[in-house]
Amino acid sequence: MDVVGDGGPGGLPLTLWGKFSARLGLAYPLLFHLLDSAVVAGELWDRMLSPAQRVVIAQGLGLGEAAARAVAMLAAGLHDLGKATRFQACEPGAWALVSERFKRDVGSWRVMRHERASMHVGLHVLGSWGYRLEGNDSPAVRIAQVLGGHHGRFLQLDVRGAAGWERVEHELGGPLWQETRLRYAWQVRRLTGAREVPSRVPVEVAVLLEGLVQLADRLVSQPHVWMPRALVPRGGALDHWMAARSPSPDAPDGWAAQVVSEAGLESVELPPRPFTEIHAGVHEPSVVQASVMEKLPGRVMQDGAGILVVGDGTGTGKSAVAWEAANIFNRHTGTRGCTLLQPTTAIADAAYDAMISMVSAHRPDRAPVALVHSHPWLSAAYLDARLARADRQVTVDEYCDDDRDGDGGVEQSGRPERKVTVPAAFLAGFDRALLAPFVVATLDQALMAVLHTRHAALRMLALSGRTVIIDEAHAHSAYMRGLLCRLVHWLAATGSSVIVLSATLRDQDARRLVHAYLTGAGHPPAELAGRDWSVPYPGWLFVPARRPAPLRMSDRERQLHSAATRRTFRARLVPVAYPAGAAEPGHGLREMTARLLRCVEQDGGCAVVSEATVEEAQATYQHLKNALRWQDARREVVLLHARLPGHQREALIRRLRTELGPRGPRPHRLVVVTTSLLDMSLDLDADVMISHLAVMETLLQRAGRLWRFEQRWEQGTRPRPRPPWAHAPLLHVLTPVDEQTLVVPGSWGRADEDYLLRATAAHLDALTAPTGPSSPAEGAPAARARTFGQIILPDHVPALLDAVHAAPAPDAGAPRYDAAGHAAHLARQQYLAELARTQLIPAPLRTGSLADLTRRHVHAGQAPTRETLPPARLLPCYRQNTGDLTLDPAGRVPLPCGSALRPPQVRSILERTVPAPWEWVAQGHPPPVPDGWRTHPLLADLVLLTARMPEALPVRFGTHLLSMDAELGLIHRTGPSG
């Protein structure tokens, strides 16, 4: 075999195709596709991977960085070697172009998915090159599984069975096919320079290589990338390779570099800027911020990456702490970029605006910021150019493999607009968007990297080698905390630094995250046993991955910060009759809410009323409008909950973020009736808060919206004075009782467990004593009123959290149900933790075969990131008398149909969708979506909620009756099945 001669013109057969357009009858040689993938993988190594990622891969392989880069290119260049099999015959038009010599030599070949064929062929090619071929952890097996996993799932490799040489020789074509595959492989190895053989391939390194191979394949498989090259006169392999790397007038850095650059995948290092310039409106760093900026750099320079846990009160600037710490990690540990993970989409949207502001303040030439969650089309970040990516052209290899999640893309390139923070068109898919240099995402998007989801390796590649910030870390169930610990473990193994932020994170949960990170960094659990990982509150803890010696904020700094940020609010329980058998449960709560808001009616002010359920929020909103009788009630009483149409909900959130934000304009009078959307991270200020009974963490978060900007306004400009009755921040906790006994309504579900609600009520009750009302703002019937207990932030937070979650003391004053309730609570926590373990991929050191990482065939939409099912998405529409479907009751906006919807039409559909529990629609038979939607990834799973006009009666789904109200949103009732 003359490898050098094979690289010249006519040296290797080029009739075997790697890409094909049936519409144009255009074929692209398989050899060129392999070389394109290899050269682009090299550019991704140079331009996208962070120095920290390159070090992790090189050290893991036991090679220098140059040799490790060559191995990565080799893997990318061999990923589609299995297409030189019976795959060639799956497309008649392309098969007609294959030379007759190959057609005569098919032998007894059989149908096999090309990624599995690549794995089987690659195994023996790698073995012939000296790659150790033994068990699951041998380099030949691991790299072969990387080749077989390029469509998103690692495959099991049976070395002595299905992948045995005799089977491969018998099933994948005759001698000409075998010889051609080997010659292709040798040519890829020669041009990539992958001469050195890795001594090992750890699991975490294999996952990163897999992500790199998937990404390179996706980039070169875009039709606008390969089609122009298919029209160029064909030379030999060497000429093609050199053309991909050589500068040209259209691509000064070479074709491959341009592909990576146009996709927006280049690593970004932000220029340093002063603290006050980055964080607008802040005159000087707080004590916590200054402490991190002063002490962290020296320790990071000495010991490298690590985990930083910050515990501080709401509204004290934790986001700025995280941003400064991320810059420190990126500057000194070789990481690049930042991913901010939030618990909900509403919080992510707000954080996205803040990140754009901070990134822009650094004045970079180019720094894309992506927003990634389940419905980003409601945000301005999700431009129509990104919606257009949903109408993807399916490539032939995807079609033949019945694979809709592979290589395809639309024929377009470039950026949607000329703005330094706008992501490129390639960064449109949920997994691809995580690859942007700066990302704001919901935690669910990151958790998919440690579940058995397709393309999890690509997500891990996106998260690794950068700083990952986990905000509102307390706001997750025991199930999600289990998943989060595994994510943190993998992030440590792949070279990331992690920052954890919370105002109400319990110390034991913080310790679990630190322990998960350090074990992921390679420290045995026995070595970590007995160590003190407690986090000062307020304050911070840093533990480096290399040497787990903690660094903390000093006690003196903590005392100074507490004094500077101390806020006192007054809270009390307001027991309200909530009879279990009442015809209209909760009516007393609404009456009490109206009574407490009389002072707002008279003198103005801004209040938030937080209800436990959407149904109660809707009822309270209607009651307040009727009871208060304000002239502009539609404007001054606002209803906000999750079951409003998307565009309506997002517009309300934007309005509240503006009107109740630090700069106003603050309205004279405003009452917001909501559920839990405003609990966390939204920078809002209220004069008074009325909340249903919730767990202590939630109440403390809600209290963080009380007089949030008071200290800031004392130093600057106040948009509007507080109303006369607002002498102090007040939190009214309306507690449902039946005959003076606390009852937890069944309609509240299990979002807050009974025990924690009762424990919270008991500890708040201990702060108060019966008395009469002391002011109109505190007004309540004298027989039920209690004094306001003072709660000081941040001083009281740790003790309150510990008191609620600790085992009840067996003294005479403890309620008799507490011991049993606590045991049930612990049992449920243990159940959720065990449930999480059943869903997780194993830790790197506990992974045998790479196939263990994708044992279950789970797509992103099915990923169990939460213990509950994801909601159904309902599209309200209206059947007019003419029989036509419209998006509005008046019949002015027809339901867009057809197979080629334009992006504005897609947006008009998506922004009207409403989430609802699946069980509400499971019993019904809604009309099918239009034919043109059935293959659209954003529209196929919609459930049409079709009301007949002009009556617009509720739509029945078994026992569930659903209807849309322009003001209240989705209304749910139950009744006998019809």
Side-chain angles (χ1 to χ4, degrees):
M1 181 169 52
D2 181 5
V3 179
V4 175
D6 279 350
L12 286 171
L14 299 179
T15 63
L16 301 184
W17 60 276
K19 295 293 170 187
F20 181 73
S21 170
R23 178 168 59 90
L24 301 177
L26 185 65
Y28 191 54
L30 172 59
L31 176 63
F32 290 175
H33 174 63
L34 299 180
L35 295 178
D36 289 349
S37 300
V39 71
V40 166
E43 291 295 335
L44 289 170
W45 179 283
D46 296 336
R47 295 170 177 269
M48 189 198 77
L49 293 193
S50 68
Q53 284 174 308
R54 296 197 289 264
V55 167
V56 166
I57 296 173
Q59 291 182 350
L61 296 176
L63 301 173
E65 284 198 27
R69 176 182 185 270
V71 170
M73 295 173 67
L74 178 68
L78 299 180
H79 81 281
D80 265 352
L81 197 60
K83 285 185 175 179
T85 61
R86 189 172 175 175
F87 172 88
Q88 293 289 310
C90 75
E91 170 56 51
W95 178 241
L97 302 176
V98 175
S99 72
E100 291 299 323
R101 292 181 60 227
F102 283 100
K103 293 178 181 178
R104 290 194 299 266
D105 191 48
V106 298
S108 57
W109 70 3
R110 73 178 184 88
V111 175
M112 181 184 294
R113 290 180 66 95
H114 79 268
E115 60 265 36
R116 181 171 292 279
S118 294
M119 180 174 67
H120 289 182
V121 171
L123 176 71
H124 298 286
V125 170
L126 294 167
S128 70
W129 291 339
Y131 284 67
R132 183 167 54 87
L133 200 169
E134 296 172 1
N136 282 329
D137 63 345
S138 61
V141 172
R142 288 269 166 88
I143 298 297
Q145 286 186 295
V146 168
L147 306 185
H150 72 268
H151 274 195
R153 296 191 185 104
F154 288 111
L155 306 175
Q156 186 64 52
L157 183 57
D158 184 359
V159 175
R160 293 175 179 81
W165 173 244
E166 293 79 6
R167 290 277 294 273
V168 172
E169 190 177 30
H170 179 71
E171 295 177 344
L172 298 182
L176 178 61
W177 292 88
Q178 297 166 24
E179 177 191 354
T180 301
R181 289 192 295 263
L182 184 59
R183 291 169 67 189
Y184 278 7
W186 270 101
Q187 197 60 219
V188 172
R189 190 188 191 201
R190 174 205 174 205
L191 294 175
T192 57
R195 302 287 193 278
E196 295 188 48
V197 175
S199 59
R200 59 187 181 272
V201 183
V203 170
E204 63 274 16
V205 171
V207 168
L208 296 184
L209 289 176
E210 178 61 70
L212 192 68
V213 170
Q214 290 181 23
L215 181 56
D217 185 30
R218 289 193 188 190
L219 286 171
V220 301
S221 296
Q222 298 174 100
H224 77 271
V225 170
W226 68 262
M227 283 184 176
R229 292 171 68 77
L231 299 174
V232 175
R234 297 173 183 177
L238 180 59
D239 291 338
H240 187 86
W241 178 266
M242 296 304 297
R245 304 174 65 190
S246 302
S248 68
D250 295 331
D253 294 326
W255 170 84
Q258 184 181 34
V259 169
V260 173
S261 178
E262 287 185 348
L265 293 172
E266 292 177 303
S267 175
V268 173
E269 192 168 4
L270 294 177
R273 295 292 176 191
F275 179 89
T276 53
E277 187 175 320
I278 297 170
H279 308 286
V282 180
H283 301 292
E284 61 180 11
S286 69
V287 177
V288 169
Q289 294 161 353
S291 175
V292 168
M293 293 164 64
E294 177 185 349
K295 294 183 176 179
L296 190 60
R299 188 60 182 277
V300 170
M301 283 189 285
Q302 177 183 341
D303 291 326
I307 182 169
L308 174 70
V309 184
V310 181
D312 200 1
T314 57
T316 54
K318 292 188 295 297
S319 297
V321 174
W323 186 256
E324 294 302 317
N327 285 334
I328 292 169
F329 286 130
N330 291 344
R331 194 175 305 126
H332 300 300
T333 70
T335 53
R336 293 290 182 269
C338 175
T339 298
L340 174 60
L341 303 176
Q342 296 285 5
T344 69
T345 58
I347 299 171
D349 287 342
Y352 173 79
D353 293 341
M355 182 173 282
I356 283 183
S357 176
M358 289 186 290
V359 169
S360 300
H362 283 271
R363 303 177 196 169
D365 293 331
R366 176 74 177 150
V369 183
L371 176 67
V372 192
H373 55 61
S374 60
H375 47 267
W377 53 82
L378 296 174
S379 168
Y382 206 93
L383 304 173
D384 285 345
R386 302 182 69 193
L387 280 174
R389 297 287 297 181
D391 296 317
R392 303 187 311 112
Q393 174 182 328
V394 178
T395 58
V396 172
D397 56 319
E398 294 180 286
Y399 175 79
C400 295
D401 291 335
D402 191 24
D403 177 0
R404 293 294 187 264
D405 287 326
D407 307 329
V410 297
E411 297 180 40
Q412 65 176 48
S413 62
R415 299 165 183 165
E417 63 178 70
R418 295 297 177 184
K419 185 178 179 183
V420 297
T421 58
V422 174
F426 180 79
L427 298 172
F430 296 135
D431 53 358
R432 296 195 303 273
L434 288 171
L435 293 160
F438 298 93
V439 175
V440 178
T442 49
L443 179 62
D444 305 70
Q445 297 295 329
L447 292 179
M448 287 185 228
V450 291
L451 297 169
H452 295 264
T453 45
R454 192 176 187 129
H455 301 298
L458 189 63
R459 293 177 187 270
M460 187 57 68
L461 177 73
L463 293 168
S464 66
R466 61 176 58 190
T467 301
V468 176
I469 303 171
I470 302 166
D471 199 4
E472 306 291 355
H474 62 277
H476 308 294
S477 66
Y479 176 85
M480 293 189 73
R481 289 197 297 271
L483 304 187
L484 181 58
C485 284
R486 184 59 51 84
L487 173 64
V488 166
H489 183 100
W490 270 86
L491 290 174
T494 54
S496 293
S497 291
V498 175
I499 301 173
V500 180
L501 306 177
S502 178
T504 54
L505 183 66
R506 296 170 58 213
D507 200 53
Q508 69 178 36
D509 292 330
R511 291 197 298 269
R512 288 194 189 104
L513 289 171
V514 173
H515 187 272
Y517 184 88
L518 294 176
T519 53
H523 298 281
E527 175 191 334
L528 305 176
R531 300 283 192 97
D532 179 16
W533 310 120
S534 60
V535 182
Y537 190 92
W540 54 271
L541 166 77
F542 171 66
V543 186
R546 186 181 306 157
R547 184 171 64 92
L551 175 68
R552 292 181 175 87
M553 183 176 177
S554 69
D555 289 340
R556 179 178 175 277
E557 289 173 322
R558 187 175 63 82
Q559 292 166 3
L560 288 173
H561 184 69
S562 295
T565 60
R566 185 167 287 125
R567 290 189 294 155
T568 300
F569 73 92
R570 300 200 292 165
R572 69 167 175 182
L573 296 177
V574 183
V576 183
Y578 203 124
E584 190 182 2
H587 181 74
L589 292 174
R590 295 193 287 276
E591 288 289 354
M592 180 57 66
T593 300
R595 188 174 292 112
L596 292 169
L597 291 176
R598 294 294 181 192
C599 51
V600 177
E601 181 179 30
Q602 296 169 11
D603 299 315
C606 298
V608 174
V609 179
S610 186
E611 294 285 8
T613 67
V614 170
E615 289 77 11
E616 291 184 0
Q618 291 169 331
T620 297
Y621 169 78
Q622 288 181 304
H623 181 82
L624 290 179
K625 279 181 51 183
N626 296 330
L628 299 178
R629 299 185 182 281
W630 296 346
Q631 289 184 353
D632 193 10
R634 285 289 298 271
R635 178 74 182 172
E636 297 177 332
V637 183
V638 173
L639 175 65
L640 175 64
H641 58 75
R643 293 185 202 137
L644 292 169
H647 65 299
Q648 186 177 341
R649 182 178 65 249
E650 296 305 310
L652 284 173
I653 290 176
R654 286 194 298 270
R655 173 193 164 190
L656 297 180
R657 284 170 53 195
T658 299
E659 294 186 351
L660 301 183
R663 288 179 289 275
R666 196 172 181 84
H668 168 67
R669 181 168 58 195
L670 180 65
V671 175
V672 182
V673 182
T674 185
T675 50
S676 58
L677 287 180
L678 304 184
D679 284 357
M680 297 172 292
S681 283
L682 296 181
D683 221 11
L684 308 177
D685 179 294
D687 297 315
V688 65
M689 174 79 67
I690 302 171
S691 171
H692 70 283
L693 178 63
V695 297
M696 185 65 75
E697 291 96 320
T698 301
L699 292 179
L700 291 174
Q701 288 289 334
R702 289 174 182 168
R705 269 79 222 151
L706 285 170
W707 293 39
R708 186 180 182 91
F709 309 131
E710 189 63 22
Q711 292 176 333
R712 193 183 311 183
W713 288 340
E714 289 175 355
Q715 303 171 359
T717 304
R718 183 186 296 271
R720 184 186 292 272
R722 302 257 181 220
W725 52 265
H727 303 296
L730 305 178
L731 173 64
H732 303 271
V733 182
L734 306 187
T735 308
V737 296
D738 184 13
E739 299 295 335
Q740 302 301 313
T741 300
L742 175 66
V743 295
V744 179
S747 61
W748 288 13
R750 298 207 62 89
D752 296 326
E753 293 192 53
D754 290 4
Y755 169 76
L756 294 181
L757 290 172
R758 296 177 187 278
T760 298
H763 287 285
L764 287 179
D765 189 66
L767 298 174
T768 64
T771 184
S774 56
S775 77
E778 303 167 7
R784 295 189 182 274
R786 305 181 73 83
T787 59
F788 282 81
Q790 284 196 343
I791 297 179
I792 302 174
L793 302 178
D795 307 58
H796 290 176
V797 171
L800 287 172
L801 296 179
D802 290 343
V804 168
H805 287 271
D811 55 36
R816 60 177 177 270
Y817 54 73
D818 271 1
H822 186 259
H825 166 68
L826 292 182
R828 177 163 173 78
Q829 297 294 296
Q830 183 65 27
Y831 163 75
L832 291 175
E834 291 297 329
L835 181 63
R837 291 190 188 99
T838 66
Q839 304 298 323
L840 286 164
I841 63 173
L845 290 178
R846 294 185 175 274
T847 302
S849 168
L850 294 178
D852 294 340
L853 302 177
T854 49
R855 287 291 181 194
R856 300 169 186 167
H857 289 193
V858 179
H859 289 270
Q862 306 163 326
T865 57
R866 299 171 188 255
E867 64 270 29
T868 56
L869 289 174
R873 290 192 299 150
L874 276 58
L875 176 65
C877 53
Y878 304 88
R879 180 79 64 184
Q880 303 296 328
N881 290 332
T882 59
D884 296 328
L885 283 175
T886 64
L887 292 174
D888 65 321
R892 300 190 187 95
V893 184
L895 184 73
C897 298
S899 59
L901 298 182
R902 292 177 292 108
Q905 293 175 304
V906 177
R907 184 187 295 276
S908 71
I909 297 168
L910 295 174
E911 67 185 9
R912 288 172 166 83
T913 58
V914 180
W918 267 111
E919 56 266 26
W920 288 4
V921 297
Q923 302 175 34
H925 300 283
V929 297
D931 291 341
W933 297 12
R934 292 177 183 175
T935 57
H936 196 292
L938 299 177
L939 305 179
D941 65 344
L942 296 184
V943 177
L944 299 187
L945 181 65
T946 307
R948 291 190 174 274
M949 302 304 292
E951 298 87 359
L953 298 175
V955 181
R956 181 179 292 278
F957 294 85
T959 59
H960 300 277
L961 296 172
L962 304 178
S963 60
M964 282 299 298
D965 183 273
E967 199 172 352
L968 301 178
L970 182 66
I971 298 176
H972 170 248
R973 295 186 178 89
T974 58
S977 59

